[in-house]
């Protein structure tokens, strides 16, 4: 009987041990999954551009430089640790992220401690590699310690690809040209998006200006006049979120652009996406008005006035309408 009792206790301990090992392994894997989301944190550099990824309140924030709206990461590679992919999406009001379906970029990290971050557009085949600046974060290194066979295979594939390139791990000249084309396409795509945002915003401002213009004409008609001369600059002061002027010395510059609008959007919409803005140069408020007033005149002309003209050298638009017939 004592021997039988010992055998039962031994069998029980052998059953318990695998369960304990499995629970420990599962905890490590689950913890590794949470660490994988932090593996991309840090600074990445490629072709003169820098991407900074930081973690704040459980959210991964992306800083792609001045002129680019606030972005955040949404992990899309659920169910596997590596390679890990994230959708780069715009942060909306309240700090929330829009859905992955509205991604402006896709980031991919082959393995936790990978020295390269792959940046892609949601559509198309172009890929740009950004190199990690400095060591990988501790969370990435800890995640790398618990790796599945699939993760190890991905790491081996990445190293094999690096060896297949030209000597010393560098791209050939022809490959570097292809990378430049891809990067420029991505860069111009960003510029096109910002320019389109300004044009859509400008259109709404002009719609409000037309309504105010019509209200001024009604006032003139009520005092039995058949003409009106109205200043666009004066109207702009009454339009909510219109770019606000700021006096510097004796010159008015644009102080604020409006909600969600940046100077780069206006710049590329008016001067073309191939033109590079000069950092720190302020935009004349008069230049913004000058670009908008011909569009306002075109809209006013559709209202059926007898005459409609812009007085050269001013912000004034003069209109006239038919005089009533004498009874």
């Amino acid at each position: 009987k004592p021997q039988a009792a010992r055998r039962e206790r031994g069998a029980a301990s052998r059953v318990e041990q695998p369960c304990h090992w499995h629970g420990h392994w599962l905890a490590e894997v689950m913890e590794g999954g949470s660490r994988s989301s932090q593996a991309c944190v840090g600074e990445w550099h490629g072709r003169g551009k820098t991407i900074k990824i930081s973690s704040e309140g459980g959210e991964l924030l992306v800083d792609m430089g001045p002129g680019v709206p606030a972005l955040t990461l949404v992990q899309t590679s659920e169910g596997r640790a590596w390679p890990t992919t994230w959708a780069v999406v715009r942060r909306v009001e309240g700090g929330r992220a829009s859905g992955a379906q509205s991604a402006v970029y896709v980031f991919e990290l082959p393995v936790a401690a990978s020295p390269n971050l792959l940046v892609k557009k949601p559509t198309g085949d172009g890929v740009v590699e950004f190199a990690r600046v400095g060591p990988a974060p501790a969370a990435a290194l800890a995640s790398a310690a618990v790796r599945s066979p699939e993760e190890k295979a991905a790491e081996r594939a990445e190293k094999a690809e690096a060896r297949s390139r030209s000597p010393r791990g560098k791209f050939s000249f022809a490959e570097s040209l292809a990378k430049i084309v891809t990067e420029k396409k991505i860069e111009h795509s960003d510029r096109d998006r910002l320019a389109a945002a300004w044009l859509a915003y400008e259109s709404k401002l002009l719609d409000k200006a037309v309504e105010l213009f019509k209200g001024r004409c009604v006032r003139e008609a009520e005092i039995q006049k058949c003409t009106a001369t109205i200043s666009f600059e004066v109207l702009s002061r009454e339009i909510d979120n219109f770019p606000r002027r700021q006096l510097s010395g004796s010159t008015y510059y644009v102080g604020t652009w409006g909600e969600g609008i940046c100077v780069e959007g206006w710049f590329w919409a008016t001067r073309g996406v191939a033109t590079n803005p000069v950092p720190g140069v302020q935009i004349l408020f008069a230049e913004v008005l000058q670009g908008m007033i011909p569009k306002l005149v075109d809209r006013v002309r559709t209202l059926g006035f007898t005459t409609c003209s812009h007085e050269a050298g001013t912000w004034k638009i003069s209109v006239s309408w038919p005089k009533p017939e004498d009874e």
Side-chain angles (χ1 to χ4, degrees), residues 116-258:
N116 296 319
L117 177 71
L118 307 182
V119 180
K120 315 172 186 178
K121 293 295 288 182
T123 57
D125 299 327
V127 179
V128 179
E129 285 189 1
F130 278 70
R132 191 191 294 272
V133 178
L141 297 174
S143 178
V146 183
R147 295 183 298 168
S148 68
E150 291 80 5
E151 295 170 42
K152 294 177 181 178
E155 184 177 14
R156 287 195 298 270
E158 185 184 21
K159 290 179 179 178
E161 184 181 354
R163 287 195 299 270
S164 68
R165 296 173 186 156
S166 55
R168 298 182 184 178
K170 297 182 180 179
F171 285 98
S172 70
F173 180 68
E175 289 173 327
S176 69
L177 294 178
K179 285 190 67 177
I180 291 172
V181 171
T182 300
E183 290 167 4
K184 284 299 178 182
K185 283 183 178 179
I186 292 176
E187 181 180 302
H188 280 200
S189 176
D190 292 340
R191 295 182 177 190
D192 285 333
R193 179 171 49 81
L194 291 173
W198 163 255
L199 291 174
Y201 190 80
E202 179 190 56
S203 181
K204 294 178 182 179
L205 297 177
L206 290 170
D207 287 342
K208 294 177 182 178
V210 169
E211 293 304 312
L212 290 172
F213 191 96
K214 289 161 66 176
R216 294 291 201 283
C217 292
V218 169
R219 291 185 197 174
E220 297 299 308
E222 288 175 346
I223 58 175
Q224 303 178 40
K225 289 186 177 182
C226 295
T227 62
T229 298
I230 301 165
S231 169
F232 177 39
E233 189 276 325
V234 172
L235 292 181
S236 72
R237 302 176 195 175
E238 300 180 31
I239 300 174
D240 292 336
N241 294 319
F242 195 92
R244 295 303 174 195
R245 63 182 188 175
Q246 181 177 341
L247 185 63
S248 178
S250 58
T251 306
Y252 282 104
Y253 295 97
V254 178
T256 57
W257 285 92

